[in-house]
Amino acid sequence: MVDVTLLGTGGMMPLPYRWLTSLMIRYNGSSLLIDCGEGTQIAMRERGWSANPIDVICFTHYHADHISGLPGLLLDMANSDRTEPVTIIGPKGLERVVGGLRVIAPELPFEVRLREFSGDGEAFEMFGYRLKSFKVNHSVTCYGYTFEVDRAGKFDKDAAVAANIPLEFWSRLQNGEIINTGDVTYEPSMVMGPDRKGIKITYCTDTRPVPAIEENASGSDLCILEGMYGDAEDAPKALKKKHMTMQEAAKIAASANVQELWLTHFSPSMGKAKRYEAEIKEIFPAALIPKDGETRELNFEED
Ligand SMILES: [Zn+2]
Ligand SMILES: [Zn+2]
C-alpha cells in the first residue's frame, strides 16, 4: 500500500489557510517528501506526523516556496533523535543550495547524502520504489517526478509442476533467483506470469505545459499537477511567469490517461480554489481540487 498526502496546496507563499505545495509519500515504513517550502514541517505536524521517518527529500527546483523549509525540517528531524542518513535529491546546484540553507543548521546527528542530477530521465531506486525525474519548462531549471512501485507476475504452480521443478526452489524463483543445480538451470521466467500493474504517482509543478508531462504521467494512478490560475484572464500571466492554468493541467491529465488528477500550487491571489472544480471536471471528470492534507491510499489491483 502507498499512502499519499498533499501537505499543502499553495504557491509562492504560505497563507494562514493554505500551506505551500509539498507531497508526502509513505511506503513500506519509509517516507519520501517532495518539495519543502516554508512551513512544511507545520503542515506535517497538523497531520500528527513526526519528521523522523523521512528518508528521502526531493526538490523540483530552487525557488524559495519549494525549498526554504529545509533547515527547519532538518532541525526537527534532529530533535526527533534521528540518526539514520537522509538522502536529498535535486537538480544541478543541489550542493550549493543545501550548503547555503544549512549554514543555519550545521550540526545534525545524521549524515545528509546529496544526489545531484542533471539532464533528463534520471532514476533513483530506493526503499522498494523508483523515483524518476523529467525536465519541464519553468523560469529556472525544474523537474517533475514519477514515483513507481513495480509488481511481479503471479507464480504459476502448474508450470512449476510441469517443468518438474523441485518444491524447495519455488520461493527462490519467486524472488527472482536463477538456480543452477547439477547441470540443470531454473529461471524465474519458467514459473512467473507477466508483470502485473504496479502503482504510479506523478508530481509536477511550476511549469508551462510540455509534452514531457503527458509522456511521463501516462497511466498514473494519481497525477498531481500545478493549477496556479483558474480564470481565463490570468492565462497571459501563466504564460509570462511560466506556470500552468487549471485548464491546461486538466487537458494534460485527459490525454495522459491518468486515473485521478489533483491540482495544486494555487496563486495566493486565488480565493477558494474549489469553485473551479465543476469547470475543470468538464475537461477531465476525475479531477479534484484538493484541500491541504488531501490523502489517498493506493493499493495493487485485485487479481
Ligand atoms: Zn512555486
Ligand atoms: Zn517556481
Side-chain angles (χ1 to χ4, degrees), residues 5-20:
T5 298
L6 190 60
L7 291 169
T9 55
M12 292 169 74
M13 62 189 82
L15 298 173
Y17 54 90
R18 193 190 281 157
W19 293 114
L20 285 171

Side-chain angles (χ1 to χ4, degrees), residues 10-12 61 63 65-66 138 205-206 243 265:
M12 292 169 74
H61 67 298
H63 274 157
D65 56 331
H66 299 258
H138 188 38
T205 181
D206 291 39
H243 284 287
H265 201 276

Side-chain angles (χ1 to χ4, degrees), residues 25-239:
I25 301 181
R26 300 186 297 162
Y27 175 65
N28 230 351
S30 178
S31 297
L32 160 72
L33 183 73
I34 310 185
D35 282 341
C36 184
E38 187 182 350
T40 290
Q41 54 167 324
I42 310 173
M44 223 168 56
R45 293 262 175 212
E46 278 187 349
R47 309 260 72 79
W49 298 339
S50 144
N52 191 291
I54 301 177
D55 292 307
V56 182
I57 301 166
C58 172
F59 294 131
T60 52
H61 67 298
Y62 305 130
H63 274 157
D65 56 331
H66 299 258
I67 57 170
S68 63
L70 183 72
L73 182 79
L74 292 174
L75 292 170
D76 193 349
M77 292 167 90
N79 219 21
S80 73
D81 292 332
R82 184 179 173 106
T83 51
E84 301 87 3
V86 175
T87 300
I88 305 183
I89 298 173
K92 205 169 181 315
L94 184 71
E95 219 161 292
R96 183 177 50 87
V97 167
V98 173
L101 291 167
R102 277 200 60 196
V103 167
I104 52 170
E107 307 282 342
L108 298 171
F110 49 83
E111 186 195 344
V112 175
R113 296 176 179 165
L114 301 182
R115 297 186 71 176
E116 182 173 308
F117 64 87
S118 55
D120 201 13
E122 188 118 6
F124 302 88
E125 306 261 356
M126 304 159 295
F127 304 100
Y129 60 82
R130 182 172 52 259
L131 191 70
K132 198 172 148 230
S133 64
F134 59 94
K135 201 164 187 182
V136 292
N137 177 19
H138 188 38
S139 55
V140 298
T141 303
C142 185
Y143 287 82
Y145 290 95
T146 56
F147 168 100
E148 286 176 277
V149 177
D150 294 333
R151 192 181 188 202
K154 228 175 162 179
F155 180 74
D156 184 346
K157 192 179 155 194
D158 294 341
V161 171
N164 285 321
I165 301 176
L167 189 66
E168 57 184 297
F169 298 145
W170 288 13
S171 69
R172 287 168 62 189
L173 288 167
Q174 243 174 310
N175 289 328
E177 207 179 314
I178 296 170
I179 297 165
N180 291 302
T181 164
D183 48 6
V184 189
T185 299
Y186 299 117
E187 293 198 25
S189 60
M190 297 166 76
V191 292
M192 302 301 290
D195 286 349
R196 286 172 284 184
K197 185 196 163 300
I199 292 170
K200 181 173 179 182
I201 300 155
T202 300
Y203 174 90
C204 180
T205 181
D206 291 39
T207 177
R208 289 296 303 144
V210 285
I213 309 174
E214 181 188 325
E215 285 158 25
N216 286 278
S218 170
S220 294
D221 298 280
L222 177 60
C223 181
I224 299 159
L225 298 180
E226 167 182 21
M228 179 98 164
Y229 305 104
D231 291 326
E233 68 216 47
D234 285 331
K237 235 192 275 182
L239 191 69

